[in-house]
RNA sequence: GCCAGUUUAGCUCAGCGGUAGAGCAACGGUUUUGUAAACCGUCGGUCGCCGGUUCGAUCCCGGCAACUGGCUCCA
């Protein structure tokens, strides 16, 4: 289906000129990839081949399924093209010329291909606005519709590698045909290419699924619990609780109050909030509770029998309703209709016909008068519950800002193909809070939220982050977004102003807002330079009004508050998934599931008694400590502890005991040496309390 | 949900048209030890699930599920 609208992400010529040198190089490499594929499969049809974050891709349609086994020969052809050092030549043409070349199959080909027109290029041409120049780029025989820019020559592509093949919809629309997408990456030189693959290897080594398994942090039991429903094992729960304690302290200090809400709510909640219909497909299907279900089905069956009887004996004609019309009626409408028609009955009707019609009416009434089934949904968000907490008591301007915080569990029916380890799940624990405030208070509250982020970033040693400010699009109003154009602009201006004033690093992207207001996604980069979107802030100008939330202002009138949704620590699932990679499982002491392991050299008294007292003292101070007093060799015990990534190891032999010492060893750092027992314990307690990195 | 790939013991992985094997872990012993592995033994699997082909299927074929890489979506 041709896409009439401009794709929201289509780059303007201006954007294209901003392409970095590396992006140009990668984009050029995509053309070289297409050149190579055409030499092997001349019939291939190409769609789009842009640079992306870590490389480039080209989408193509081809009968042969390209697999990684084909990469070697494709790469060999690519090398030939690079060695030929062809110039990337820009050619400006008229739209008529471009359409003619697409029809002949010349675009995205090595020559004309009669009977095999460049179908996707025709679609791409349609997206080019009138007045914008139409250009080709040619390298050797390969001619492509392309706005550029490119490097000068194919030989400028220093080092490249094809990485994987995937499928993608033409223009990203699932209604369009699926294409094969060949991914690759390219760099200025071989050194940088190798550094990139080293980083990928490191990311694999730090994969949260692998480390989570090894360290016993969480389990995914799709058979019994369900896909995307994580079980937090004791070690993982230790991290969960350390994070919750951090959040509770930070939120308490920032004037938040805590609340607790159930995991489900009645349908009315989500009809009012607007999650239905905007969000319905991301929610688990509803639960129906029908306390009179047997009576309801009994009456319905009887009613249907009577209708059939009426149709067979002609009584239905008096009612003047076809079977299809009747089926479409609600029980209320059906009763009303029957009630009305039976009032106007011709007294000459046979008594039996009358009796049946009246009985039908009575059954319809009984059915209508049954209490309706109750419908409940698992919550996909905490906001509606918090809104009802706001509504639970009368509010004055003196109560604002009201900051309601909760680590709330939400359930989202993510499509099966979207699930991924802990990073994308169906049950998630959010570091959620909603701040109800006046428009005047907004800037200050928003700044305070940003400060909280910065505080967290410091604790976790995150030096690179970015706020991604998502705004609405005019076309989405009434569809993807609540139809309040003025409020959208007003709120977006307000947020933009605060972002600029606070000097925070942000980018703005259109058409990615939440349905009820603009959104700020927080992106952070892990220790090995991978990007994660871990948290989100949203400004909600619409839903509080839908719930009729008001506060009494100074002037004795009722006003609707603004609501800021914020979740700096995101969800436990994604945030801990991120932390696992960030720390490679080597958590700082305050987060480490097993903070300390005390191990003795041998198992003889009084050594064990001495060690046991240290364990007891640490436990009394809420330290997560384990003892290893077995007769295994000390090297073996140390290896066990190192493999378990225990942060601090206290090795105790008779030498230590006699001096009142412990020998300290830190995970990954090796033996530190002996120190007085009291000093070692005190240092552990301080490092935990200060959340030292 | 769509396209592709994967699924063998708790974990990492061999293997094969004739009903399975290693290392680690676990368990039982022996060993009394100074900073990343002392030794011996034992247990452990409807080869993801359901069908089909076959004398016989973990292996071949089909369907389903889960997981993974992407797409769409998203914290």
């Amino acid at each position: 289906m041709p896409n009439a609208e401009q794709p929201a992400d289509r780059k303007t010529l201006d954007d294209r000129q901003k392409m970095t040198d590396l992006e140009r190089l990668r984009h050029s490499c995509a053309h070289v990839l297409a050149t190579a594929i055409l030499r092997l499969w001349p019939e291939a049809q190409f769609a789009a081949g842009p640079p992306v974050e870590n490389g480039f891709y080209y989408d193509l349609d081809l009968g042969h399924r390209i697999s990684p086994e084909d990469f070697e020969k494709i790469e060999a052809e690519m090398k030939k093209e690079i060695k030929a050092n062809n110039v990337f030549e820009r050619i400006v043409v008229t739209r008529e010329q471009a359409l003619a070349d697409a029809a002949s199959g010349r675009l995205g080909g090595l020559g004309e291909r009669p009977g095999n027109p460049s179908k996707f290029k025709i679609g791409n041409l349609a997206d080019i606005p009138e007045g914008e120049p139409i250009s080709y780029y040619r390298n050797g025989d390969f001619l492509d519709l392309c706005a550029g820019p490119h490097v000068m020559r194919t030989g400028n592509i220093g080092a490249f590698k094809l990485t994987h093949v995937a499928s993608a919809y033409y223009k990203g629309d699932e209604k369009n045909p699926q294409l094969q997408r060949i991914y690759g990456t390219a760099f200025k030189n071989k050194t940088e290419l190798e550094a990139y693959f080293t980083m990928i290897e490191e990311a694999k080594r730090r994969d949260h699924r692998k480390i989570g398994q090894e360290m016993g942090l969480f389990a995914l039991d799709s058979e019994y619990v369900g896909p995307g429903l994580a079980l937090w094992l004791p070690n993982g729960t230790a991290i969960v609780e350390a994070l919750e304690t951090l959040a509770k302290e930070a939120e308490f200090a920032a004037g938040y109050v805590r609340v607790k809400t159930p995991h489900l709510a009645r349908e009315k909640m989500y009809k009012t909030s607007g999650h239905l219909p905007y969000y319905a497909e991301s929610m688990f299907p509803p639960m129906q509770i029908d306390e009179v279900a047997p009576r309801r089905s009994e009456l319905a069956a009887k009613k249907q029998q009577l209708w059939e009887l009426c149709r067979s004996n002609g009584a239905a004609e008096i009612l003047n309703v076809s079977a299809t019309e009747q089926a479409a009626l609600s029980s209320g409408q059906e009763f009303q209709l029957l009630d009305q028609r039976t009032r106007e009955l011709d007294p000459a009707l046979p008594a039996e016909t009358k009796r049946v019609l009246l009985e039908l009416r009575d059954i319809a009434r009984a059915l209508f008068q049954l209490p309706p089934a109750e419908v409940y949904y698992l919550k996909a968000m905490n906001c509606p519950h918090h809104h009802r907490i706001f509504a639970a008591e009368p509010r004055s301007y003196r109560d604002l800002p009201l900051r309601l915080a909760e680590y709330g569990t939400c359930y989202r029916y993510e499509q099966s193909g979207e699930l991924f380890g802990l990073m994308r799940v169906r049950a998630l624990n959010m570091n959620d809070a909603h701040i109800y405030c006046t428009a005047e208070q907004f800037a200050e509250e928003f700044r305070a939220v940003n400060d909280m982020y910065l505080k967290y970033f410091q604790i976790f040693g995150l030096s690179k982050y970015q706020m991604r400010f998502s705004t609405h699009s005019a076309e989405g109003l009434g569809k993807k977004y609540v139809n309040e154009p003025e409020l959208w602009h007003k709120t977006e201006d307000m947020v933009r102003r605060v972002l600029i004033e606070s000097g925070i690093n942000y980018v703005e992207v259109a058409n990615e807002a939440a349905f009820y207001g603009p959104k700020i996604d927080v992106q952070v980069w892990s220790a090995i330079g991978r990007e994660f979107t871990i948290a989100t802030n949203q400004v909600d100008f619409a839903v509080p009004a839908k719930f009729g939330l008001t506060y009494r202002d100074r002037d004795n009138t009722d006003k609707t508050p603004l609501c800021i949704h914020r979740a700096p620590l995101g969800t436990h699932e994604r945030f801990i998934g991120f932390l696992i990679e960030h720390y490679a499982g080597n958590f700082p002491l305050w987060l480490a599931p097993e903070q300390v392991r005390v191990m003795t050299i041998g198992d003889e008294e009084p050594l064990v008694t001495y060690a046991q007292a240290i364990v007891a003292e640490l436990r009394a101070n809420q330290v997560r400590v384990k003892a290893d007093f077995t007769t295994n060799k000390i090297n073996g015990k140390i290896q066990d502890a190192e493999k378990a990534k225990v942060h601090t190891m206290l090795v105790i032999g008779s030498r230590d005991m006699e001096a009142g010492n412990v020998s300290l060893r830190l995970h990954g750092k090796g033996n530190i040496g002996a120190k007085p027992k009291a000093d070692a314990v005190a240092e552990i307690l301080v490092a935990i309390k200060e959340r030292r990195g």
Side-chain angles (χ1 to χ4, degrees):
Chain A
M1 213 174 85
N3 193 348
E5 289 171 28
Q6 282 291 309
D9 57 350
R10 187 176 184 276
K11 283 199 174 72
T12 63
L13 289 183
D14 230 29
D15 293 334
R16 283 179 170 271
Q17 285 313 313
K18 287 183 201 149
M19 264 199 208
T20 62
D21 291 348
L22 186 59
E23 283 170 331
R24 286 172 196 229
L25 183 149
R26 288 170 171 175
H27 179 48
S28 300
C29 198
H31 280 231
V32 171
L33 166 65
T35 311
I37 287 174
L38 283 163
R39 289 203 189 130
L40 297 163
W41 297 281
E43 71 278 21
Q45 282 299 344
F46 289 87
V52 287
E53 189 178 355
N54 291 312
F56 62 87
Y57 64 79
Y58 217 129
D59 284 346
L60 67 137
D61 186 31
L62 179 63
H64 170 74
R65 283 228 167 273
I66 292 178
S67 79
E69 283 101 73
D70 296 319
F71 285 176
E72 207 174 313
K73 60 183 178 201
I74 298 172
E75 286 171 347
E77 288 297 331
M78 290 174 73
K79 279 184 189 138
K80 283 185 207 160
E81 178 61 22
I82 288 171
K83 193 142 191 225
N85 204 14
N86 285 317
V87 171
F88 279 102
E89 181 192 355
R90 182 165 190 265
I91 305 161
V92 176
V93 294
T94 61
R95 188 173 293 264
E96 292 67 36
Q97 176 70 45
L99 284 169
D101 287 333
S104 74
R106 182 67 187 93
L107 291 187
L110 299 176
E112 294 197 356
R113 295 177 290 178
N116 187 12
S118 313
K119 49 188 173 179
F120 305 115
K121 298 296 174 184
I122 296 171
N124 291 358
L125 269 167
D127 289 338
I128 301 177
E130 283 303 329
E132 193 176 298
I134 294 175
S135 63
Y136 295 165
Y137 271 85
R138 172 208 286 279
N139 56 292
D141 292 333
F142 180 64
L143 183 69
D144 202 1
L145 175 71
C146 175
H150 282 279
V151 292
M152 294 296 291
R153 293 173 161 273
T154 55
N156 295 6
I157 298 166
F160 74 93
K161 191 164 174 48
L162 298 182
T163 52
H164 51 284
V165 55
S167 83
Y169 299 107
Y170 179 49
K171 292 186 188 179
D173 186 333
E174 62 184 331
K175 291 188 221 65
N176 284 338
Q178 280 208 318
L179 307 174
Q180 301 188 55
R181 175 170 291 181
I182 316 297
Y183 279 92
T185 192
F187 288 88
K188 280 207 299 286
N189 54 53
K190 212 171 166 194
T191 317
E192 287 183 21
L193 181 78
E194 279 165 6
Y196 171 74
F197 281 102
T198 308
M199 190 268 272
I200 297 292
E201 283 309 307
E202 184 60 19
K204 261 187 212 159
R205 214 174 57 75
R206 292 172 177 234
D207 189 307
H208 78 278
R209 292 163 298 184
K210 183 168 165 274
I211 292 179
Q213 156 88 274
E214 287 165 1
M215 293 182 72
L217 302 181
F218 63 91
L220 289 162
D221 179 355
S222 58
E223 191 182 354
Y224 284 83
V225 186
L229 302 174
L231 295 171
W232 287 105
L233 306 180
N235 284 347
T237 307
I239 300 174
V240 163
E241 297 204 331
L243 289 177
E244 288 192 14
T245 305
L246 169 66
K248 284 172 186 174
E249 286 175 17
E251 285 159 8
F252 186 83
Y256 289 67
V257 288
R258 302 206 78 77
V259 294
K260 279 190 86 65
T261 60
H263 294 197
L264 34 65
R266 304 182 79 158
E267 185 176 36
K268 181 171 185 177
M269 180 82 106
Y270 302 107
K271 278 187 170 164
T272 307
S273 71
H275 284 99
L276 308 169
Y278 290 101
Y279 207 76
E281 65 179 33
S282 294
M283 296 177 74
F284 274 81
M287 284 163 265
Q288 293 232 4
I289 298 163
D290 188 356
E291 291 186 340
V292 292
R295 176 85 179 127
R296 194 188 305 281
S297 48
E298 182 194 322
L299 287 171
K302 187 123 188 239
K303 183 186 67 146
Q304 218 43 46
Q305 270 174 12
L306 286 169
W307 269 109
E308 274 153 34
L309 183 62
C310 289
R311 285 195 192 100
S312 62
N313 71 9
E317 282 163 32
I318 298 161
L319 296 171
N320 193 23
V321 188
S322 74
T324 3
E325 282 167 346
Q326 181 245 326
L329 295 175
S330 72
S331 63
Q333 290 167 328
E334 187 175 16
F335 164 62
Q336 269 183 352
L337 180 126
L338 288 165
D339 191 41
Q340 199 189 344
R341 300 280 154 87
T342 49
R343 278 170 210 271
E344 305 156 353
L345 287 183
D346 186 345
L349 276 178
E352 175 57 15
T353 311
K354 251 195 241 175
R355 193 196 61 76
V356 172
L357 286 172
L358 288 173
E359 190 182 352
L360 179 59
R361 179 204 60 188
D362 291 344
I363 298 274
R365 179 197 284 131
L367 198 55
F368 169 52
Q369 285 175 344
L370 286 177
E374 296 174 41
V375 178
Y376 286 85
Y377 281 88
L378 280 168
K379 67 178 176 187
M381 298 186 156
N382 301 303
C383 18
H385 283 86
H386 288 186
H387 293 337
R388 295 316 299 165
I389 288 179
F390 186 96
E393 296 177 274
R395 304 292 177 182
S396 146
Y397 72 93
R398 292 194 186 95
D399 299 329
L400 304 186
L402 178 68
R403 309 179 189 93
L404 302 179
E406 172 178 22
Y407 248 107
T409 308
C410 297
Y411 302 85
R412 298 186 183 174
Y413 191 77
E414 305 289 355
Q415 296 182 54
S416 58
E418 290 166 350
L419 300 175
F420 169 64
L422 271 190
M423 302 306 284
R424 200 68 187 275
V425 291
R426 285 182 174 163
L428 33 110
N429 290 282
M430 287 183 81
N431 170 226
D432 215 355
H434 295 91
I435 301 170
Y436 299 87
C437 64
T438 66
E440 296 73 55
Q441 290 167 335
F442 173 78
E444 178 55 33
E445 287 305 309
F446 197 81
R447 241 188 294 276
V449 168
N450 283 339
D451 286 347
M452 192 177 283
Y453 275 98
L454 296 178
K455 180 185 165 168
Y456 288 148
F457 292 164
Q458 196 176 10
I459 289 173
F460 295 107
L462 303 175
S463 48
K464 186 176 176 194
Y465 58 88
Q466 174 177 272
M467 303 271 179
R468 187 181 163 89
F469 176 36
S470 302
T471 54
H472 78 297
S473 69
E475 305 88 71
L477 285 173
K479 286 177 279 184
K480 204 170 156 188
Y481 307 121
V482 290
N483 198 3
E484 300 272 6
E486 272 179 40
L487 277 170
W488 275 104
H489 283 118
K490 204 174 129 196
T491 318
E492 285 170 4
D493 287 345
M494 199 161 63
V495 174
R496 199 177 291 113
R497 207 162 48 236
V498 177
L499 282 169
I500 293 168
E501 279 169 15
S502 65
I504 244 167
N505 176 30
Y506 85 98
V507 289
E508 186 166 331
V509 282
N511 200 29
E512 289 189 13
F515 75 80
Y516 46 69
K519 180 169 94 163
I520 295 115
D521 287 316
V522 182
Q523 298 172 291
V524 298
W525 278 260
S526 78
I528 56 167
R530 289 214 311 155
E531 182 269 334
F532 290 80
T533 299
I534 49 166
T536 227
N537 293 337
Q538 285 151 17
V539 184
D540 184 347
F541 51 77
V543 185
K546 290 180 191 217
F547 278 99
L549 303 188
T550 58
Y551 61 95
R552 182 63 55 87
D553 208 351
R554 277 189 177 79
D555 60 5
N556 201 28
T557 62
D558 287 331
K559 293 188 180 146
T560 304
L562 271 178
C563 178
I564 302 172
H565 306 235
R566 43 107 282 176
L569 299 179
T571 63
H572 282 321
E573 287 74 15
R574 186 169 290 183
F575 196 74
I576 292 174
F578 163 77
L579 288 181
I580 292 171
E581 169 172 317
H582 183 58
Y583 291 120
N586 305 317
F587 294 98
L589 186 60
W590 72 280
L591 277 174
E594 188 176 341
Q595 295 172 310
V596 180
R597 187 175 295 184
V598 178
M599 40 196 127
T600 52
I601 302 173
D603 69 342
E604 285 175 338
E605 294 294 346
L607 193 58
V608 168
T609 312
Y610 177 74
Q612 189 63 62
I614 297 171
V615 170
E617 185 181 351
L618 289 168
R619 275 193 71 80
N621 285 287
Q622 303 293 311
V623 177
R624 297 184 287 271
V625 54
K626 281 186 181 162
D628 184 354
F629 300 158
T630 58
T631 63
N632 287 341
K633 282 188 90 89
I634 192 63
N635 283 16
K637 294 190 191 189
I638 284 168
Q639 174 149 343
D640 287 347
E642 289 282 357
K643 271 166 65 179
K645 299 182 190 293
V646 177
H647 185 281
T648 296
M649 287 154 273
L650 300 181
V651 176
I652 299 171
S654 47
R655 233 159 48 208
D656 302 294
M657 180 180 64
E658 278 150 24
N661 280 349
V662 295
S663 286
L664 188 67
R665 180 187 171 96
L666 297 178
H667 172 55
K669 298 203 176 77
N671 187 10
I672 305 295
K675 51 172 71 186
K677 182 191 84 170
D679 293 0
V681 170
E683 271 172 36
I684 288 167
L685 298 182
V686 171
I688 293 172
K689 186 154 184 277
E690 294 180 354
R691 299 193 171 95
R692 285 189 195 152

